[in-house]
Amino acid sequence: MAIHVDIQSGVGVLTLDRPERAHAYDQEHITALEKGFDELASSVPVVVIRSTGDRAFCGGADLDAVSGADPLSALDLPSQRLFNRIARSAAISIAAIQGPAVAGGAELTLACDLRVMGPQAQLRLPEVSHGLIPSAGGCTRLTRLAGPAIAKQIILFGETLSADALIRCGLGVPGEPTPFDAAMHIAQRFLKTADPLAARLAKQIIDRGEDPTSLEAERISESLLYHRRAASRP
């Protein structure tokens, strides 16, 4: 897989380019994705993740590469490490999804802060039918984002959610005229209107969920931002 790294009008663009294998990844590709994301996240405040072609967004782990994997390797999954890195990054991440996002590909989109859906976008987590579970953050993040009922629908019963269904349940927004064009428009609007520090603090608190420490973090963060505003006044 070729991983392309680019900055367009101040927006980082990370492109998966292995259309002949539905952009499936192995260890080498995960390493390249991690390096590319880190490079962009250290340079720009927002990163769009996309893939080439129309066939798929990402098919997840390359089955040929993982068929003989050591069972203990699941205790230190490179894909979970990468997706955690994306989810916890100070950079805002947007997935431009033009086709099916399956297994690890779906988990990659769930690690992003926003999912922009084309008409052919789908989300599918079929691991249970193969005697596995979504282990790169899928069980945890899908439940947090969509609730346990929808998570069980997709993970336990293998339901594939279409773009329309994903948008209806709040997992994505429409991407017109193309998901990438829409994602870039959203990213550039973010650059023009959002304060990077305020956005970073808000993202960290949102990802904690509603608990006493999150509410305290809201107060502390707002105090910091008030102080900064006061200090900037002439």
Side-chain angles (χ1 to χ4, degrees):
M1 183 198 296
I3 304 297
H4 306 298
V5 177
D6 191 19
I7 296 177
Q8 301 180 20
S9 303
V11 176
V13 180
L14 184 63
T15 304
L16 287 66
D17 188 10
R18 198 190 185 194
E20 72 282 2
R21 296 285 290 179
H23 310 290
Y25 53 75
D26 60 17
Q27 175 58 59
E28 182 182 350
H29 305 135
I30 287 289
T31 300
L33 281 167
E34 186 170 4
K35 181 180 177 183
F37 182 81
D38 285 351
E39 179 183 330
L40 291 170
S42 65
S43 304
V44 294
V46 59
V47 177
V48 172
I49 300 176
R50 66 165 176 172
S51 54
T52 60
D54 298 322
R55 179 183 168 197
F57 172 77
C58 178
D62 190 322
L63 295 180
D64 290 343
V66 301
S67 58
D70 180 348
L72 291 177
S73 66
L75 297 177
D76 184 28
L77 271 183
S79 55
Q80 191 191 80
R81 246 188 357 259
L82 168 62
F83 301 160
N84 287 346
R85 204 175 188 90
I86 292 170
R88 296 168 184 169
S89 172
I92 302 300
S93 52
I94 303 173
I97 308 168
Q98 89 290 11
V102 180
E107 291 175 296
L108 170 57
T109 72
L110 294 171
C112 292
D113 297 303
L114 182 68
R115 287 150 294 280
V116 181
M117 307 287 183
Q120 303 307 312
Q122 295 179 356
L123 190 147
R124 186 155 59 92
L125 291 164
E127 286 89 342
V128 167
S129 66
H130 299 292
L132 301 169
I133 65 167
S135 55
C139 290
T140 300
R141 292 197 176 98
L142 182 58
T143 303
R144 191 176 71 232
L145 290 168
I150 289 175
K152 288 176 182 178
Q153 219 174 309
I154 296 171
I155 295 170
L156 301 185
F157 300 103
E159 185 166 335
T160 299
L161 259 61
S162 67
D164 287 344
L166 290 164
I167 291 166
R168 282 198 305 272
C169 69
L171 279 170
V173 298
E176 296 174 351
T178 71
F180 179 64
D181 290 336
M184 289 297 289
H185 176 74
I186 292 167
Q188 287 163 357
R189 186 177 64 202
F190 172 86
L191 289 178
K192 291 176 183 175
T193 62
D195 176 86
L197 176 59
R200 178 177 180 175
L201 292 169
K203 172 180 171 173
Q204 289 174 347
I205 294 168
I206 291 166
D207 286 344
R208 280 189 188 184
E210 186 180 349
D211 62 39
T213 61
S214 294
L215 296 171
E216 182 182 8
E218 285 185 4
R219 296 194 301 274
I220 294 170
S221 298
E222 192 74 336
S223 176
L224 170 66
L225 294 168
Y226 280 160
H227 178 74
R228 188 187 62 166
R229 178 179 288 183
S232 68
R233 288 178 186 148

